[in-house]
Amino acid sequence: MDLFSVALINCYSVLRVFQQPQIILLKEGTESSQGKSQLISNINACQVVVDAVRTTLGPRGMDKLIVGSNGKATISNDGATIMKLLDIVHPAAKTLVDIAKSQDAEVGDGTTSVVLLAGEYLKQLKPYVDEGVHPRTMIKGVRKATQLALDKINSLAVKIEKSNDSQHRALLEKCAATALSSKLIHQQKGFFSKMVVETVLQLDDLLPLDMIGIKKIQGGALEDSLLVAGVAFKKTFSYAGFEMQPKSYKNPKIALLNIELELKAERDNAEIRLNSVEEYQKVVDVEWQILYEKLDKLAKSGAQVVLSKLPIGDVATQYFADRDMFCAGRVPEEDMKRTMKACGGSIISTTKDLTDSMLGTCEEFEEKQIGGERFNIFAGCPQAKTCTLILRGGAEQFLEETERSLHDAIMIVRRTIKNDSVVAGGGAIEMELSKALRDYSRTIAGKEQLLIGAIAKALEIIPRQLCDNAGFDATAILNKLRQKHAQGSCWFGVDVMTEDISDNMEKCVWEPAVVKKNALQAASEAVCLILSVDETIKNPKSTSGG
């Protein structure tokens, strides 16, 4: 065969290749990016999220002012709150929002730390992605490092002695004070840490969160806040005759209703065609009769306090006042449920067959003026142990941030009671873990050595950021810390008050070990998840009328 024939055959086969139909697998407009560049872009997106909360860490952390789409302004330095309000759309960066939420739900504190750790892990691993290290190798390294860190925390954590009540309470107060030291109310942490510990110790053994009510009243100083050992809620809208009712009782019976004790205006409900005044009078009489029957049954039941989710009208209010009974209508559902759990009885929908078992009771009921509001307070509840924190303060945003801060402290105290071991805060435990991982990495060969070394370096972000946020020379303080930890002083961390380092175990800067363990696990899971993604496919929005 001559050369010309061979060239012709080659041209023909090339043409045939070009003529093959192109395979279209995904809908037009689908965006797809994959490979190394995709992973780097995901890591960069996470870095941006971390930068948003980086400065909120620690006692000298700054606050963020976030204005929502509805114009509501929120001032907070709580990592989970900020992450929720940021409304992040990047799919990989949303992982960091999830770990902040899970940390908040599980232990209540350490939400900024967990995001910071995950971001720093990714930052330290980014050069290895560039160099072409396989993501699976990195994931294996991260998991190994996390396991080693958790084992180290377990071996270092100090058990809390529960036998001595006053000692145990003092330890819990120190943990609460550490949680509050980075919050807006850190100046009053001594006052609030005692209140938080008192609150949690008043609950049952299961420590249910829903039995702690937090009510906010603008005005007054923070120190005017008080703890009520029972249920307290704001006085509801009331009708004429209300002031004639007694405002305090000893051992009252309490009726909890889901009944409207009010005369209905006919035009609101139905159209009635009547031929004579007598017929109209009959309708009105029946309506009054129905209402009075309900009221009589409540009075005969022996109830002295009547609460209802639905309105209690002026006729009923005056009827109760004449019989020295107290009533409140339109009580919020959560307050009704807490009152029922605490005082016993049940929420009833009919006044027929009212028995004593349906009524609740408490040692003392009182209506009390607190600031500009009047509060109904049920104290000495026999059924379930419950309490209510009444917070005072100036601006609404300030009170909301105080509530978030106390939530963190309450969660910390609950966790410390359930998991009775603590570690030193202020970056001390992270420095010790960093040293342990660095020492271990030198005993092994291969890529894992570099990866575990990178994680060890990443852990130093917590003390470094504490220094940066306080305006200290981070490099100098970290060098001092490395030296102390190398000499075997495992509880040395950043001392924000003296701009130096100190033994944080002695200084009583304590955190429950479970907070640190949860943060390390959540951060490593998020990192493994982000590293395992090598392609993002974004489907186009479906067009209407398709």
Side-chain angles (χ1 to χ4, degrees):
M1 193 181 285
D2 59 356
L3 281 170
F4 178 70
S5 306
V6 171
L8 258 177
I9 289 165
N10 284 345
C11 285
Y12 178 66
S13 56
V14 167
L15 275 170
R16 278 190 63 186
V17 169
F18 278 119
Q19 282 171 354
Q20 278 180 355
Q22 192 182 350
I23 297 168
I24 298 170
L25 188 63
L26 300 170
K27 207 168 169 183
E28 194 182 339
T30 302
E31 294 171 37
S32 171
S33 47
Q34 63 190 110
K36 193 195 293 182
S37 60
Q38 170 58 29
L39 188 46
I40 296 283
S41 118
N42 283 349
I43 291 175
N44 290 343
C46 292
Q47 294 297 293
V48 176
V49 177
V50 173
D51 288 340
V53 294
R54 187 184 291 280
T55 54
T56 66
L57 184 77
R60 296 283 183 271
M62 308 299 277
D63 296 345
K64 306 284 178 198
L65 190 146
I66 301 164
V67 183
S69 53
N70 57 356
K72 185 178 186 297
T74 306
I75 298 171
S76 180
N77 72 356
D78 178 48
T81 306
I82 295 166
M83 300 290 269
K84 279 180 211 163
L85 294 170
L86 280 178
D87 202 11
I88 293 163
V89 292
H90 192 283
K94 272 188 180 166
T95 315
L96 297 186
V97 181
D98 291 340
I99 59 169
K101 282 183 184 171
S102 81
Q103 179 80 4
D104 195 37
E106 186 60 28
V107 286
D109 198 22
T111 47
T112 306
S113 306
V114 73
V115 174
L116 215 53
L117 280 172
E120 195 63 19
Y121 280 8
L122 290 169
K123 185 180 173 184
Q124 295 298 336
L125 292 172
K126 193 172 159 187
Y128 298 106
V129 177
D130 273 335
E131 286 166 20
V133 177
H134 196 279
R136 282 287 149 207
T137 313
M138 287 191 275
I139 289 170
K140 191 178 166 197
V142 170
R143 293 222 163 110
K144 183 76 186 280
T146 306
Q147 194 50 54
L148 288 165
L150 294 174
D151 294 344
K152 185 73 178 166
I153 290 179
N154 288 334
S155 66
L156 283 173
V158 178
K159 281 275 183 203
I160 291 177
E161 187 55 59
K162 284 187 175 178
S163 54
N164 186 328
D165 271 2
S166 60
Q167 266 187 336
H168 186 226
R169 184 180 284 254
L171 295 174
L172 293 175
E173 281 174 16
K174 282 162 192 166
C175 287
T178 305
L180 291 171
S181 65
S182 64
K183 305 296 181 191
L184 204 60
I185 53 172
H186 61 89
Q187 302 286 355
Q188 286 86 8
K189 69 180 180 187
F191 172 77
F192 279 114
S193 56
K194 283 188 173 64
M195 190 184 273
V196 164
V197 172
E198 189 66 40
T199 302
V200 179
L201 290 178
Q202 281 187 16
L203 299 178
D204 293 326
D205 292 342
L206 290 171
L207 307 177
L209 260 186
D210 60 348
M211 294 310 276
I212 300 174
I214 299 182
K215 304 292 176 190
K216 304 183 286 284
I217 308 175
Q218 278 179 273
L222 269 175
E223 279 87 354
D224 295 339
S225 301
L226 65 137
L227 172 65
V228 175
V231 183
F233 53 84
K234 205 184 290 183
K235 170 180 172 283
T236 53
F237 176 82
S238 50
Y239 287 90
F242 182 81
E243 289 309 329
M244 300 183 319
Q245 295 179 347
K247 296 292 179 274
S248 69
Y249 294 96
K250 296 275 185 217
N251 300 312
K253 286 185 177 176
I254 304 161
L256 304 166
L257 311 177
N258 190 14
I259 306 171
E260 201 166 354
L261 298 175
E262 196 172 24
L263 288 168
K264 286 285 188 194
E266 283 77 9
R267 65 174 181 277
D268 288 351
N269 295 320
E271 186 178 314
I272 307 172
R273 294 180 184 273
L274 302 167
N275 298 325
S276 67
V277 176
E278 288 80 11
E279 284 180 11
Y280 176 71
Q281 189 59 47
K282 276 181 194 170
V283 172
V284 173
D285 288 347
V286 167
E287 197 169 6
W288 279 81
Q289 189 186 333
I290 291 167
L291 179 61
Y292 272 118
E293 268 177 23
K294 288 178 186 172
L295 298 177
D296 285 340
K297 279 179 180 154
L298 283 167
K300 281 174 188 165
S301 72
Q304 287 162 292
V305 176
V306 179
L307 304 178
S308 179
K309 282 188 201 174
L310 299 172
I312 293 179
D314 44 8
V315 174
T317 304
Q318 285 174 359
Y319 178 94
F320 289 138
D322 292 342
R323 285 157 185 76
D324 286 344
M325 290 166 71
F326 174 92
C327 68
R330 294 199 180 99
V331 178
E333 188 167 1
E334 62 173 288
D335 291 329
M336 282 290 275
K337 281 186 176 168
R338 270 194 336 121
T339 310
M340 181 181 79
K341 280 182 185 170
C343 301
S346 51
I347 296 174
I348 43 185
S349 301
T350 173
T351 53
K352 287 189 175 74
D353 307 323
L354 259 178
T355 61
D356 268 5
S357 62
M358 295 177 183
L359 302 177
T361 184
C362 67
E363 281 173 21
E364 199 175 341
F365 167 79
E366 184 183 12
E367 183 173 294
K368 194 174 173 184
Q369 187 81 19
I370 303 175
E373 303 285 355
R374 299 233 324 243
F375 264 70
N376 298 332
I377 296 170
F378 299 83
C381 305
Q383 291 292 326
K385 295 171 181 172
T386 178
C387 49
T388 308
L389 284 162
I390 297 175
L391 303 181
R392 306 297 310 278
E396 186 188 345
Q397 283 98 334
F398 186 77
L399 276 171
E400 283 178 3
E401 178 62 2
T402 305
E403 182 182 3
R404 281 191 287 271
S405 307
L406 290 182
H407 168 265
D408 284 10
I410 287 166
M411 290 291 281
I412 284 294
V413 174
R414 283 176 75 231
R415 285 287 157 210
T416 313
I417 292 172
K418 287 185 179 180
N419 308 71
D420 53 350
S421 57
V422 294
V423 293
I429 186 71
E430 283 83 6
M431 285 305 292
E432 186 59 24
L433 295 178
S434 176
K435 172 190 165 277
L437 288 181
R438 200 175 279 115
D439 291 349
Y440 173 80
S441 72
R442 291 184 185 128
T443 64
I444 55 172
K447 291 174 188 167
E448 214 168 60
Q449 180 191 26
L450 297 169
L451 296 168
I452 291 177
I455 298 298
K457 192 178 177 196
L459 284 165
E460 290 183 351
I461 186 62
I462 301 291
R464 181 181 292 279
Q465 197 62 50
L466 286 171
C467 295
D468 286 345
N469 289 354
F472 303 161
D473 181 349
T475 312
I477 286 181
L478 278 176
N479 284 338
K480 280 187 189 175
L481 283 175
R482 286 191 197 109
Q483 180 201 8
K484 281 287 184 192
H485 283 266
Q487 289 166 358
S489 306
C490 67
W491 295 130
F492 266 78
V494 182
D495 187 341
V496 177
M497 301 308 158
T498 60
E499 195 171 333
D500 199 6
I501 64 172
S502 65
D503 186 328
N504 281 350
M505 207 37 130
E506 270 181 29
K507 278 274 181 99
C508 301
V509 180
W510 295 349
E511 295 189 64
V514 68
V515 174
K516 293 297 172 197
K517 279 157 56 176
N518 209 73
L520 287 168
Q521 283 171 314
S524 90
E525 285 302 324
V527 169
C528 293
L529 194 65
I530 289 162
L531 288 174
S532 65
V533 173
D534 74 334
E535 182 169 8
T536 304
I537 300 165
K538 205 170 179 185
N539 289 328
K541 284 184 180 169
S542 56
T543 49
S544 55

